[in-house]
Amino acid sequence: MQISARNQLKGKVTAVTLGSVMAEVVVTLADGQEIVSAITRNSAESLNLKAGDEVMAIIKSTEVMIGKEA
Amino acid sequence: MQISARNQLKGKVTAVTLGSVMAEVVVTLADGQEIVSAITRNSAESLNLKAGDEVMAIIKSTEVMIGKEA
Amino acid sequence: MQISARNQLKGKVTAVTLGSVMAEVVVTLADGQEIVSAITRNSAESLNLKAGDEVMAIIKSTEVMIGKEA
Amino acid sequence: MQISARNQLKGKVTAVTLGSVMAEVVVTLADGQEIVSAITRNSAESLNLKAGDEVMAIIKSTEVMIGKEA
Amino acid sequence: MQISARNQLKGKVTAVTLGSVMAEVVVTLADGQEIVSAITRNSAESLNLKAGDEVMAIIKSTEVMIGKEA
Amino acid sequence: MQISARNQLKGKVTAVTLGSVMAEVVVTLADGQEIVSAITRNSAESLNLKAGDEVMAIIKSTEVMIGKEA
């Protein structure tokens, strides 16, 4: 399935922290930069996410801000 | 100023498209991957964004989804 | 690819409006309710969205609010 | 009060899970499809959400992505 | 209708800019601070938004970041 | 660093609740209105957020909805 979200960054799961309702997932990109995702615990469990998994970090473009040194 | 958004990815602006109310900004990361941001036109103009600018793509972790091959 | 977004609602595209940078896509669900999506124009064009297409409206759970009559 | 969010889907609460800071609320639409919402625990408690409540799942159009089979 | 969004800030519309698909609405709070909202043009028109309108700026808590001087 | 997010509201932290994965931060603006933010626990800890801190509540304009009495 093709998704309209313009940002789909390949990486590897390096940490999964399961909370009561939410979960934090850390994905390391090929160049070593990290992306942190906060999804529901149920999502993390239904995707059976664990360290080492090859995944995509998916981000809708309207959720991306830009910062520029003044 | 330190910001709570966990995802701050360094890159260079490679394209800016100004629309009537919104603007699309393409940022290329060090490893060649692209991030697309949709911000308001006023934001793009007040940051004076143009190709070649060194910027940060800033994304709150609650906006990042994960995709995994079944 | 399995996606962490918990909400994936099946429907049919009933309207696509292309703007300068953004696009509005109306999806009608099986029960007749409508979902409106605002994505970038480039996304709408790369998915070649047009009326009649079978699609999924995909929404991360952290983006869903609840309203209740007092 | 009229709200600008274009998506207001009627349904019934079928599950509420309270976490330490967040809460997960499952709403079943008339056609049986489910919508999952992640809101703060305080919100869930102040709305006194419980199974059986008639509610609206409210979603801003900029938060809705589209998926289409290739 | 009570809404789960925790942030509902009272203010007055001071500017509405209609674009092709989106619209920018500026709301001035009682203390003079401004809030800028980007909604769809259709939303702005269906609410018949115009300068002088008393409105609420509504923001889900998961969309609010925090910045702190280092 | 200049950020594209149009909404940057000055205030003081009045409460921080740390959950398993998320944290809730309440910021009181100069005029007494409150803004509630849900960020990850790690963010709250890395910013060392505590009551009395002078902070900015930062909100992208695409995340702001408008409500108007009918």
Side-chain angles (χ1 to χ4, degrees):
Chain A
M1 180 166 67
Q2 243 188 309
I3 316 166
S4 61
R6 299 284 293 280
N7 302 300
Q8 305 191 19
L9 303 168
K10 258 191 215 150
K12 197 170 273 194
V13 173
T14 39
V16 179
T17 309
L18 296 179
S20 47
V21 159
M22 298 295 285
E24 187 175 285
V25 182
V26 179
V27 175
T28 303
L29 304 185
D31 66 0
Q33 292 196 87
E34 280 189 351
I35 296 238
V36 178
S37 164
I39 58 177
T40 59
R41 177 184 176 122
N42 284 338
S43 291
E45 288 176 333
S46 71
L47 261 68
N48 187 24
L49 290 177
K50 54 196 177 313
D53 284 350
E54 302 279 351
V55 294
M56 286 281 196
I58 302 171
I59 306 147
K60 196 173 184 294
S61 59
T62 46
E63 310 308 328
V64 181
M65 287 162 286
I66 302 291
K68 182 178 164 184
E69 288 306 329
Chain B
M1 179 167 66
Q2 241 188 310
I3 316 166
S4 61
R6 301 282 294 279
N7 302 301
Q8 304 189 21
L9 303 167
K10 255 191 217 152
K12 196 171 272 195
V13 173
T14 39
V16 179
T17 310
L18 297 178
S20 47
V21 160
M22 300 294 285
E24 186 176 284
V25 182
V26 179
V27 175
T28 303
L29 305 185
D31 67 359
Q33 291 197 87
E34 280 189 350
I35 295 235
V36 179
S37 163
I39 57 178
T40 58
R41 178 184 175 122
N42 284 338
S43 292
E45 289 177 333
S46 72
L47 263 67
N48 187 23
L49 290 177
K50 54 196 176 312
D53 284 350
E54 301 280 349
V55 295
M56 285 282 196
I58 302 171
I59 307 146
K60 195 172 186 295
S61 58
T62 46
E63 310 308 327
V64 180
M65 287 161 286
I66 301 290
K68 182 178 164 184
E69 289 306 330
Chain C
M1 179 167 66
Q2 242 189 310
I3 317 166
S4 61
R6 301 284 294 281
N7 302 300
Q8 304 191 20
L9 302 168
K10 255 190 219 154
K12 197 172 271 195
V13 173
T14 39
V16 179
T17 309
L18 296 179
S20 46
V21 160
M22 299 294 285
E24 186 176 285
V25 182
V26 180
V27 175
T28 303
L29 304 184
D31 67 359
Q33 293 195 86
E34 281 189 350
I35 296 237
V36 179
S37 163
I39 57 178
T40 59
R41 178 184 175 122
N42 284 337
S43 291
E45 288 177 334
S46 72
L47 262 66
N48 187 23
L49 290 177
K50 55 198 177 309
D53 282 352
E54 302 279 349
V55 294
M56 286 282 195
I58 302 171
I59 306 147
K60 195 174 187 294
S61 58
T62 46
E63 310 308 329
V64 180
M65 288 162 286
I66 301 292
K68 182 179 165 183
E69 289 307 329
Chain D
M1 179 165 67
Q2 243 188 308
I3 316 168
S4 61
R6 300 284 294 281
N7 302 301
Q8 305 191 21
L9 302 168
K10 256 193 214 150
K12 195 171 273 194
V13 173
T14 38
V16 178
T17 309
L18 297 179
S20 46
V21 160
M22 299 293 285
E24 186 175 286
V25 182
V26 179
V27 176
T28 303
L29 305 185
D31 66 359
Q33 293 196 88
E34 280 189 350
I35 297 237
V36 179
S37 163
I39 57 177
T40 59
R41 178 182 174 122
N42 284 337
S43 292
E45 288 177 333
S46 73
L47 262 66
N48 187 23
L49 290 177
K50 55 197 177 310
D53 283 351
E54 300 280 349
V55 295
M56 286 281 197
I58 301 171
I59 306 147
K60 195 173 186 295
S61 59
T62 46
E63 309 307 330
V64 181
M65 287 163 286
I66 302 292
K68 181 177 164 185
E69 289 306 329
Chain E
M1 179 166 67
Q2 244 188 308
I3 316 167
S4 60
R6 302 283 293 281
N7 302 301
Q8 304 191 21
L9 302 167
K10 256 191 217 151
K12 197 171 272 194
V13 173
T14 38
V16 179
T17 309
L18 297 180
S20 47
V21 161
M22 299 293 285
E24 186 175 286
V25 182
V26 180
V27 175
T28 303
L29 304 185
D31 67 0
Q33 293 196 86
E34 280 190 350
I35 295 236
V36 179
S37 163
I39 58 178
T40 59
R41 178 183 175 122
N42 284 336
S43 290
E45 288 176 334
S46 73
L47 262 68
N48 187 25
L49 291 176
K50 54 195 177 311
D53 284 350
E54 301 280 349
V55 295
M56 286 280 196
I58 302 172
I59 306 147
K60 195 173 185 295
S61 58
T62 46
E63 309 308 327
V64 181
M65 288 162 285
I66 301 291
K68 182 179 166 184
E69 288 307 329
Chain F
M1 178 166 67
Q2 243 188 309
I3 316 166
S4 61
R6 300 285 293 282
N7 303 300
Q8 304 190 22
L9 303 167
K10 256 192 218 153
K12 197 172 273 194
V13 173
T14 39
V16 178
T17 310
L18 297 179
S20 46
V21 160
M22 299 294 285
E24 186 176 286
V25 182
V26 179
V27 175
T28 303
L29 304 184
D31 67 359
Q33 292 197 88
E34 281 189 349
I35 297 240
V36 179
S37 162
I39 57 178
T40 59
R41 177 184 177 122
N42 285 338
S43 292
E45 288 176 334
S46 73
L47 263 67
N48 186 25
L49 290 177
K50 54 197 179 311
D53 282 351
E54 301 280 349
V55 296
M56 286 281 196
I58 302 171
I59 306 146
K60 195 174 186 292
S61 57
T62 46
E63 309 309 326
V64 181
M65 287 163 285
I66 302 290
K68 181 178 166 184
E69 288 307 329

